Structure formats: C-alpha cells, structure tokens
Amino acid sequence: MGGLFLGMVLLQVVPGSIQSGGGILIGLGLLAVLIMLLVTGLRMAGLLLCPGCHQKLEEIGAYCPECGSHGLKPGGWFSSPHCPTCNRKMRRNKGRHYTIRACSHCGLYLDEKGL
Ligand SMILES: [Zn+2]
Ligand SMILES: [Zn+2]
C-alpha cells in the first residue's frame, strides 16, 4: 500500500517537475526511493524463515501451511497444491491466497492467526 501511495504521489509530481524544469532531480529521487521500498518489501516477504528448520515459509513443502498436517498434494501446471485434511487449495496468483499458520517444510505450528 505504501508503494502504491508513493507511486500516485510520483505521478502527480513528475509532470509538474518536467514543466518547471527544475524539479526533475526530485522526481528521480522519489523514483529511487520507490524502487528501494519495492525491493525491500519483496525481500522481507521472501525472508520469512521457519524458526524450526530455517526454510522459507512462503515455499510449499510436504506439510499444509493452513493446518500443519502432513500429506499435502503438490500442485501441477494447472492445479494448486491441495490439502486433503482441511480441504484447502494453496492458490497463488498475484499474491498468496492462503494463510501460513504452520511451516510447510517441517510442520511446526507457528501462529493461530497466521500470516
Ligand atoms: Zn520448518
Ligand atoms: Zn490443511
């Protein structure tokens, strides 16, 4: 959300800066900040590690991230990973459509509310 807001600010600032001819550097600076924020956000999302096995929580393993039970059915090209225990699909398109309550690699239960 922060990135989106900055992007909107940028869209309003940059054309005005070019017209006045003086503020292009400010626009470029804002762009740099925006890219930095995006990179940091992506890195943070990929760096959520399991305290038990130190593997990435965003990756799907043999355990269900929703209920923590073993026996998650891996997805194929056209299907998402599916858990027969809680009957949920670990859908991912334009973001994550499931909650991580347990580590998918070792089954360690992490949080009641989930991520
Ligand atoms: Zn783990
Ligand atoms: Zn499950």
Side-chain angles (χ1 to χ4, degrees):
M1 279 316 277
L4 194 71
F5 175 71
L6 253 175
M8 282 162 69
V9 170
L10 202 64
L11 280 176
Q12 287 176 342
V13 168
V14 169
S17 310
I18 292 167
Q19 268 171 16
S20 66
I24 294 170
L25 274 176
I26 296 168
L28 283 175
L30 271 173
L31 192 69
V33 169
L34 184 69
I35 290 167
M36 246 172 60
L37 275 175
L38 265 172
V39 170
T40 315
L42 285 174
R43 223 177 257 165
M44 295 265 286
L47 269 180
L48 287 167
L49 299 180
C50 167
C53 64
H54 299 285
Q55 295 197 69
K56 284 178 191 165
L57 290 176
E58 293 279 341
E59 284 173 6
I60 293 280
Y63 291 83
C64 171
E66 288 268 10
C67 67
S69 68
H70 192 259
L72 191 72
K73 297 259 186 298
W77 280 99
F78 299 106
S79 60
S80 314
H82 172 252
C83 172
T85 310
C86 64
N87 204 24
R88 282 191 183 96
K89 280 189 175 172
M90 312 307 143
R91 225 154 49 80
R92 302 191 76 126
N93 60 52
K94 295 176 190 167
R96 177 156 49 80
H97 291 271
Y98 59 92
T99 313
I100 298 173
R101 295 192 183 86
C103 171
S104 189
H105 302 284
C106 66
L108 183 76
Y109 204 77
L110 301 161
D111 192 59
E112 191 67 41
K113 276 185 295 173
L115 296 166

